[in-house]
Amino acid sequence: MADPTAVSFKRDLSDWRIALVAWRLLVLQAADPVVGAGMTEHSTYRAHPWRRIEHTLGSGRRLFYQDAEALRREVARLDRAHKRVRGTTPDGRPYDARDAATRVWVLLTLFECVVAMRSLGGDRYDAEQLELVYGEFREAIAAFGLPEEELPKSAVDLPSYFARYAREKLEFNEAARYLLDGILREAPRPGRLWFLGDAGWRVTRGLVARVIRELTVADLPPVVRERFGLVATRRGALLSVLLHRGAGAVVPLLPDRLRYRSPEGQRPPRRYRPMRRDARGPRVDRFFREVLDQTGDGYITAHDLRAMAHNVCWQLDLDEAAEARVYEAFDGWWEQLRAVMDADGDGRVGREEFTAATLAGCDRGEAYLEQGLLPALRAVFTAADTDGSGFLEFDEYRAVFGGPRVHPAELSHGFRQLDTDGDGRITVEEFLRGFTEFFTARADSTSGAQLLGRP
C-alpha cells in the first residue's frame, strides 16, 4: 500500500495536470441549475473563459494554501460575491448562489476534479489516501459554515453523492451546453499563446475546441454523460488515455518547482507589440471593446460594470467595506450610462451608441466624466492605495492594472503616462487627469491618450 502521508490535496491541486480536467470542472459546475443561471446572467465566461478558469482554480488555491486569516478573508470575499448573484430564470425559477446545496456541489467538484486527475493519470488514491485528502479538504471548507447534512461524511460516500446529485439536480442547460459546444470556437487567444497571433489562433481554436470537447465528454462521470445524453467516442477515449497517462508518466518525474504551480504564480505575459496610432474616436471605441464589454457581446449592461468591479476586488483582495465602495461607485457609473445612452430602455448600451454619446458628452465638458467614470476611478484609486499614503506606488498600480494579458512594458508605460511629474508615484489628481485626457484629448501626443498602450 502507498504511504498515505505522501499525499496532499492542496499540493495535488497545484499540479499542472489539473489543466487537463479544468474544462470538465467548469461543465460539472455549470450544470447545476443555480450556477448555470448565475453564469448566464452575471458571469463574463463567454468573453473571458480563461479568466473564469483562473478565478475558479485560483480561489481553490487561496482556500487551501493560506493561513487561517487568509482563508477567512477568501470565504468572506466569496460570500460577498455570491450575495450579488441571484435572480429568476427565464422559466420563473428563483435562484441564489448562496444556496447551501449548490455551494457544496461547487466545492465538491473541485475535490472530485483532483481525484479524477489522479485516477485518469494512473496514480489513483488508495482508500486510505482518499480519506486523508478528503479530511484535509473538509478541514479547509469548514470555514464556509455549510450544513453538515449536505456534506458526505467520508470519501466512501462521495460516489453515491455524485450519482444522486447528477440524477436529481444537474441539467444540460444553456451554460453547460455552451461551454461544451460553443465557447471554444469563439474564445479569445490565451495570453500564453501570443506567438500564434490572432490569425493563427483563429485557425487553431477550431482544433482546440474539438480536442477539448472530445476529452471532456470522455472524462465526464458516466452518470453525467447519461444524464446529458452524451456518448464518449472511441477517439475521445483514446485521447483521454494518451493525454492523462502520458502526463501521469512524465509530470511526476519533474522537480517540484516545475511540477507544481506556485499559489502566487502568474501566467507569462503576452509579448509586447506596439499599438497602432489611435485618434479620439478609436480610443473610446477600443475602451469599449477591451475594457467595458466584459461579456464580449457588443453591449454593456449593469452586469458588465459589476464584472469590472468584481475583477478589481479580486485583484486587490479587499475587505467588505472597501469592496462595497467599489461596487457602489461602479453601480453609479452604470446608472449614468443607462440614463444618458439607453434610449430604448432595454438595459444595454451598444458600442457605436457608447462611442458617440461619450464623445458628445466630453465635448460638453469634463462634468460628463465627473458624473460616472471619475467617481468609479476614485474608488479604484482608494482601494489600490493599500497603505493609505495618498499615492499609488508601482507595485500598487500593478496589483490592479497588471495581469497575464498585460506585458510589463505596457504596464510600465501606462504608469509613466499617469506619473506626469516623474517622481515614481501617482497622485489621485494625476490618476484622474490621465483618464480624463484619454477621453477628451484630440491629439495622440497627449500622455493620457496612451493608457491602453502606445498608439
Side-chain angles (χ1 to χ4, degrees):
M1 179 180 294
D3 178 8
T5 63
V7 299
S8 165
F9 174 75
K10 69 179 184 180
R11 185 175 64 216
D12 287 340
L13 182 63
S14 67
D15 191 310
W16 281 106
R17 292 181 294 163
I18 204 76
L20 292 175
V21 290
W23 211 259
R24 175 186 184 276
L25 170 66
L26 293 187
V27 171
L28 286 173
Q29 291 183 348
D32 180 282
V34 174
V35 177
M39 287 176 66
T40 298
E41 189 170 2
H42 297 273
S43 177
T44 61
Y45 75 104
R46 290 176 179 259
H48 301 284
W50 316 119
R51 187 170 74 189
R52 165 72 184 186
I53 292 175
E54 176 57 31
H55 281 192
T56 298
L57 296 178
S59 182
R61 288 191 293 272
R62 285 182 177 185
L63 291 173
F64 295 101
Y65 271 93
Q66 307 300 326
D67 57 26
E69 176 57 24
L71 172 61
R72 184 198 64 77
R73 289 199 307 270
E74 176 63 8
V75 171
R77 186 194 66 78
L78 289 171
D79 284 342
R80 293 193 299 271
H82 291 155
K83 184 167 60 177
R84 301 180 178 93
V85 182
R86 61 185 186 273
T88 305
T89 63
D91 60 1
R93 291 180 295 173
Y95 68 87
D96 190 323
R98 294 170 296 176
D99 174 69
T102 298
R103 301 190 83 177
V104 168
W105 170 253
V106 169
L107 288 167
L108 283 175
T109 55
L110 189 64
F111 179 81
E112 192 269 350
C113 172
V114 173
V115 174
M117 175 195 76
R118 292 279 303 245
S119 179
L120 292 165
D123 54 345
R124 179 194 303 267
Y125 295 124
D126 65 31
E128 191 174 0
Q129 289 174 331
L130 187 60
E131 290 296 345
L132 183 70
V133 294
Y134 185 59
E136 182 186 350
F137 169 82
R138 284 202 56 167
E139 184 179 347
I141 67 169
F144 283 94
L146 297 167
E148 280 293 320
E149 62 272 17
E150 294 287 349
L151 284 162
K153 290 183 171 55
S154 73
V156 173
D157 302 318
L158 285 170
S160 59
Y161 165 85
F162 271 86
R164 176 183 57 80
Y165 202 94
R167 293 192 180 100
E168 295 178 2
K169 293 285 189 73
L170 297 192
E171 302 172 349
F172 198 25
N173 52 33
E174 177 189 349
R177 195 182 304 275
Y178 186 66
L179 279 169
L180 198 57
D181 293 325
I183 191 170
L184 288 169
R185 301 182 186 280
E186 307 169 3
R189 172 173 45 83
R192 65 175 63 253
L193 298 183
W194 55 265
F195 55 86
L196 290 175
D198 290 337
W201 171 243
R202 283 194 293 271
V203 173
T204 303
R205 68 183 172 188
L207 175 61
V208 171
R210 289 195 296 273
V211 167
I212 291 183
R213 188 191 193 282
E214 294 269 9
L215 178 67
T216 301
V217 172
D219 290 347
L220 284 172
V223 65
V224 176
R225 286 201 301 267
E226 179 184 349
R227 174 76 169 165
F228 292 177
L230 299 171
V231 177
T233 64
R234 290 183 178 179
R235 181 173 57 191
L238 177 60
L239 182 66
S240 177
V241 170
L242 290 175
L243 289 177
H244 287 292
R245 291 302 177 97
V250 173
V251 173
L253 300 178
L254 299 174
D256 284 358
R257 63 185 176 82
L258 297 178
R259 178 179 180 181
Y260 300 108
R261 176 172 181 173
S262 165
E264 289 77 34
Q266 295 293 327
R267 290 178 291 175
R270 62 181 174 87
R271 184 177 61 178
Y272 172 70
R273 295 186 300 276
M275 301 292 183
R276 63 183 174 84
R277 182 168 298 277
D278 286 323
R280 188 173 64 143
R283 281 203 307 270
V284 175
D285 179 83
R286 184 176 162 206
F287 184 80
F288 181 100
R289 290 182 288 105
E290 297 185 10
V291 179
L292 289 180
D293 185 11
Q294 293 280 302
T295 55
D297 62 357
Y299 295 91
I300 51 174
T301 68
H303 296 312
D304 290 286
L305 273 293
R306 288 194 167 192
M308 290 176 63
H310 171 79
N311 204 45
V312 169
C313 296
W314 168 273
Q315 297 284 86
L316 297 175
D317 192 18
L318 302 178
D319 62 27
E320 184 170 6
E323 192 172 279
R325 287 192 292 271
V326 171
Y327 272 96
E328 181 181 0
F330 276 79
D331 284 345
W333 185 12
W334 164 248
E335 286 304 314
Q336 184 234 11
L337 295 178
R338 181 191 60 78
V340 173
M341 302 177 188
D342 183 19
D344 58 4
D346 66 349
R348 60 182 191 172
V349 175
R351 190 176 77 186
E352 293 182 0
E353 193 175 23
F354 172 83
T355 301
T358 298
L359 293 179
C362 290
D363 283 340
R364 293 195 298 270
E366 294 181 10
Y368 169 79
L369 297 177
E370 188 60 52
Q371 293 167 5
L373 172 64
L374 296 187
L377 289 173
R378 283 194 189 92
V380 171
F381 183 96
T382 301
D385 179 20
T386 53
D387 61 3
S389 66
F391 303 93
L392 288 191
E393 311 290 345
F394 183 72
D395 285 347
E396 292 173 322
Y397 177 84
R398 179 174 55 196
V400 67
F401 290 103
R405 293 181 63 84
V406 181
H407 191 279
E410 290 180 352
L411 189 67
S412 298
H413 182 76
F415 184 85
R416 290 195 301 272
Q417 298 310 299
L418 294 172
D419 179 21
T420 53
D421 61 6
D423 65 351
R425 57 186 188 174
I426 300 169
T427 65
V428 66
E429 292 79 12
E430 289 174 325
F431 188 74
L432 298 179
R433 186 189 312 122
F435 281 93
T436 299
E437 289 174 349
F438 179 87
F439 287 96
T440 60
R442 297 179 181 274
D444 286 331
S445 57
T446 304
S447 61
Q450 302 178 24
L451 288 175
L452 296 186
R454 291 178 175 87

